[in-house]
Amino acid sequence: MNQLLLTLRFYATGSFLRSSGDFSGVSISTASRVVKRVSQAIAALRRTMINMPGNVREIEEMKQGFYRMYRFPRVIGCIDCTHIRIQSPEGENAEVFRNRKSYFSINTQVVCNYNLKAIDIVARWPESVHDATIFEHSTLRRFEQNEFNSGLLLGDGGYPVRNYLLTLLINPNTPAEECYNKTQIQTRNIIERFFGVIKRRFSVLSLGMRLKLETVQDVIVSTAVLHNLARNQNEENPPVLIDVVEDDVVINDDIHERARPRDNMVRDSLIADYFLRLRC
């Protein structure tokens, strides 16, 4: 129990290991081992706590939950990446972790549901890797086998448009296209809320970690597990005492051009058959 409490204090305050160790009456080396051990144990729960919908009932529940928000049909998740600050991992590849704001970070991809819970997380890529590349190498490609009953993901301009991953139209020309864009933005905003809530709940995610890279990855996943547990227990969201600065969207030119064609069947069909009649 003491080890768990030390680790939770470290997550919540984002303080140095020395501070957490002193509070618990242990050395900094012991605190480091404790945080590593407990984070590994909590992160191992991801298989039961962080899951995409696994059957038709769960998929339909996701779709209905998102639809009730802003009336965007068939959505089961919203996707985005955020930067988690770390110390320099050192070594010859350290610079690939340095981001545009000159600090080192891990580019972490999350899919969240309508209830502000993480349903997929990837926390192993350096900052220099583009969001679209992380997506292309993730298990979310399962959507291509229609594993989720025609369910959709919503993403920002950093992602390529797919028949299961819908991004904004670059230059909307009709009221229906403008309605699609507006509803897509409103619905997708929940992933920004997710990042804000989890970074306030666990300050270590925004203040940075002076830990080995492998332990940082376990900490990121374990905080997502604990966040989902808090949502399951109907815990209140942490108060907005400070603004958490979110990452600017960087749109890779190649991805931007691939998203430009207006012949995506699913998006065009939704606009013509649904958003044309929807009052925005």
Side-chain angles (χ1 to χ4, degrees):
M1 180 58 70
N2 287 336
Q3 293 182 53
L4 175 62
L5 292 176
L6 184 155
T7 303
L8 292 179
R9 179 177 178 82
F10 175 70
Y11 291 175
T13 62
S15 59
F16 291 110
L17 281 172
R18 183 182 301 277
S19 175
S20 297
D22 288 347
F23 187 84
S24 300
V26 300
S27 67
I28 185 171
S29 59
T30 298
S32 178
R33 289 194 298 270
V34 166
V35 169
K36 177 181 179 179
R37 184 182 305 122
V38 174
S39 296
Q40 288 175 337
I42 298 175
L45 301 174
R46 66 177 297 170
R47 293 183 180 275
T48 57
M49 294 299 298
I50 304 176
N51 290 304
M52 298 291 290
N55 54 54
V56 173
R57 180 188 61 80
E58 292 178 352
I59 292 171
E60 292 306 312
E61 178 186 343
M62 293 284 188
K63 292 179 180 179
Q64 293 173 16
F66 273 107
Y67 184 81
R68 287 192 296 267
M69 293 169 56
Y70 295 105
R71 297 183 295 170
F72 201 112
R74 295 172 46 191
V75 177
I76 65 172
C78 294
I79 183 172
D80 203 358
C81 287
T82 190
H83 297 294
I84 305 299
R85 186 188 293 261
I86 62 173
Q87 69 177 355
S88 171
E90 301 181 343
E92 60 183 20
N93 295 320
E95 284 302 310
V96 301
F97 288 88
R98 190 186 296 277
N99 63 29
R100 293 172 296 104
K101 297 181 180 179
S102 297
Y103 63 83
F104 296 93
S105 64
I106 291 179
N107 198 8
T108 302
Q109 176 180 278
V110 176
V111 179
C112 78
N113 68 9
Y114 70 93
N115 195 33
L116 216 65
K117 291 173 58 178
I119 58 176
D120 188 82
I121 186 168
V122 180
R124 61 187 179 88
W125 293 87
E127 189 284 332
S128 61
V129 177
H130 193 274
D131 295 3
T133 301
I134 299 175
F135 168 77
E136 294 290 354
H137 288 83
S138 73
T139 59
L140 296 175
R141 298 293 295 274
R142 294 150 53 195
F143 276 85
E144 295 175 4
Q145 282 72 51
N146 196 29
E147 185 174 330
F148 300 104
N149 197 25
S150 299
L152 300 174
L153 295 175
L154 299 185
D156 62 23
Y159 291 95
V161 64
R162 296 283 188 267
N163 283 333
Y164 55 89
L165 172 54
L166 302 186
T167 62
L168 291 176
L169 286 164
I170 298 171
N171 295 305
N173 296 321
T174 68
E177 291 177 353
E178 291 176 354
C179 183
Y180 164 85
N181 270 10
K182 176 181 178 181
T183 310
Q184 201 265 10
I185 291 171
Q186 290 174 325
T187 306
R188 199 188 73 230
N189 179 259
I190 194 166
I191 187 65
E192 304 299 336
R193 287 179 52 208
F194 170 88
F195 289 137
V197 169
I198 197 171
K199 287 184 177 182
R200 291 196 303 272
R201 175 167 276 142
F202 302 109
S203 296
V204 71
L205 298 178
S206 56
L207 297 179
M209 288 174 263
R210 296 178 178 272
L211 301 169
K212 291 183 178 180
L213 196 58
E214 295 79 7
T215 304
V216 169
Q217 294 168 329
D218 285 331
V219 170
I220 295 171
V221 174
S222 60
T223 53
V225 168
L226 293 172
H227 169 81
N228 282 2
L229 180 62
R231 297 298 298 173
N232 289 344
Q233 298 297 322
N234 296 316
E235 292 285 340
E236 294 184 3
N237 290 334
V240 185
L241 300 179
I242 58 173
D243 291 331
V244 175
V245 178
E246 284 302 325
D247 312 299
D248 298 329
V249 175
V250 178
I251 301 178
N252 179 282
D253 290 339
D254 292 336
I255 298 299
H256 199 69
E257 287 303 316
R258 288 201 294 270
R260 188 179 300 277
R262 307 175 67 82
D263 58 355
N264 179 271
M265 292 186 298
V266 171
R267 186 171 62 182
D268 291 350
S269 176
L270 280 174
I271 292 172
D273 300 333
Y274 176 76
F275 286 99
L276 184 64
R277 300 191 303 271
L278 185 65
R279 293 183 179 180
C280 287

